[in-house]
Structure formats: C-alpha cells, structure tokens
C-alpha cells in the first residue's frame, strides 16, 4: 500500500499530537472494524467561537494518525460552525490522497471532531447543536 509523501510526513512528524490538559471540549470515537481510536481536544475562543488550539491522540495505523493531524490543521482557526462543515474529502485532499481502503480514517477524523464540538459548552451557547 503506497502512501503519499504528505501522509508519511504527517505520520512521522505530526504537529498536533498530544493531550491538552485544559481543553474546553474532548471528543472520542473508534472504528470497531479496524481498531482505530481517536481523541480530539479543543480550546475555543469564547468571543469569536474559533478553535484556538486543537490536539489529538490516536491509536491506529499510518492513515489514522496522518488523518488526525491533517484534520487538526484544517480545523485550527475555524469557527465551530465552519469546523462542522469539514468533510472527510477535505482531509483526503490535505493528505494528497489516501488509499481507498484507508479513507475510513478520514471519516473517523470528521466524526471525532463533531463529537468534540458536541461536547463543547460554547457550542451549546451558540446553538450549534
């Protein structure tokens, strides 16, 4: 299975990996079929409703870790409403393609981000849910 250079770069040197102790929201999802588990941490600017910081912890394959990092890159700086509109295809595009059998990793990224936003008190205040 061949991965793009961008996918391998994000796998070997992810920018957004790590736990966030003072997160405003946390979301976790897993894929039962492949065993990948993703956890997303968000720090939100309450005034602008923008994602100030985002981190991930992912247990999974090359594609899962790279997709987590790419999703964080895309989401950082966006409002919660904008972040909810991120599609798995945006993550695939950011990675410069993924093997078809690994696209589910990008879907896991979007669903985990949505779970984190669902758990965000700021989202509740602005009626994003």
């Amino acid at each position: 299975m061949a991965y793009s250079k961008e996918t391998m770069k994000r796998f070997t040197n992810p920018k957004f990996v790590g736990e966030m102790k003072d997160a405003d929201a946390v979301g976790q999802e897993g894929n039962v079929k492949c065993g990948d588990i993703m956890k997303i941490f968000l720090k939100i600017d309450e005034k602008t409703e923008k994602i100030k910081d985002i981190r991930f912890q992912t247990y999974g394959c090359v594609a899962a870790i790279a997709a987590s990092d790419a999703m964080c890159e895309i989401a950082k700086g966006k409002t919660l409403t904008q972040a909810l509109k991120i599609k798995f295809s945006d993550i695939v595009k950011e990675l410069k393609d993924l093997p078809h059998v690994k696209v589910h990793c990008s879907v896991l990224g979007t669903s985990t981000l949505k779970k984190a936003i669902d758990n965000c008190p700021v989202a509740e205040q602005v009626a994003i849910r």
Side-chain angles (χ1 to χ4, degrees):
M1 185 174 325
Y3 289 109
S4 70
K5 287 181 184 178
E6 181 66 19
T7 298
M8 291 308 297
K9 181 180 90 174
R10 287 187 180 277
F11 169 68
T12 58
N13 192 23
K15 294 188 253 181
F16 297 93
V17 72
E19 187 175 7
M20 185 186 298
K21 298 280 186 204
D22 60 345
D24 294 322
V26 179
Q28 183 172 317
E29 287 280 303
N31 184 312
V32 179
K33 281 187 175 181
C34 69
D36 295 337
I37 300 169
M38 188 180 296
K39 196 172 196 178
I40 301 293
F41 304 87
L42 299 175
K43 191 73 176 164
I44 309 298
D45 182 313
E46 289 187 35
K47 281 188 172 188
T48 63
E49 299 161 17
K50 287 186 177 184
I51 298 172
K52 289 193 306 189
D53 198 9
I54 184 169
R55 296 270 172 229
F56 77 90
Q57 290 180 316
T58 296
Y59 174 80
C61 64
V62 169
I65 292 167
S68 300
D69 197 60
M71 186 275 307
C72 290
E73 181 91 41
I74 296 167
K76 187 172 181 179
K78 291 197 177 346
T79 66
L80 296 174
T81 302
Q82 292 168 330
L84 284 171
K85 293 178 184 174
I86 296 170
K87 295 180 261 174
F88 75 90
S89 56
D90 298 326
I91 296 170
V92 172
K93 186 177 178 181
E94 182 75 18
L95 292 173
K96 312 285 190 253
D97 205 14
L98 269 179
H100 183 70
V101 297
K102 293 296 184 173
V103 170
H104 69 274
C105 296
S106 61
V107 174
L108 183 60
T110 57
S111 64
T112 307
L113 177 61
K114 287 178 173 111
K115 176 80 73 130
I117 292 170
D118 281 347
N119 293 332
C120 183
V122 174
E124 197 173 274
Q125 292 169 7
V126 295
I128 285 180
R129 296 182 194 209

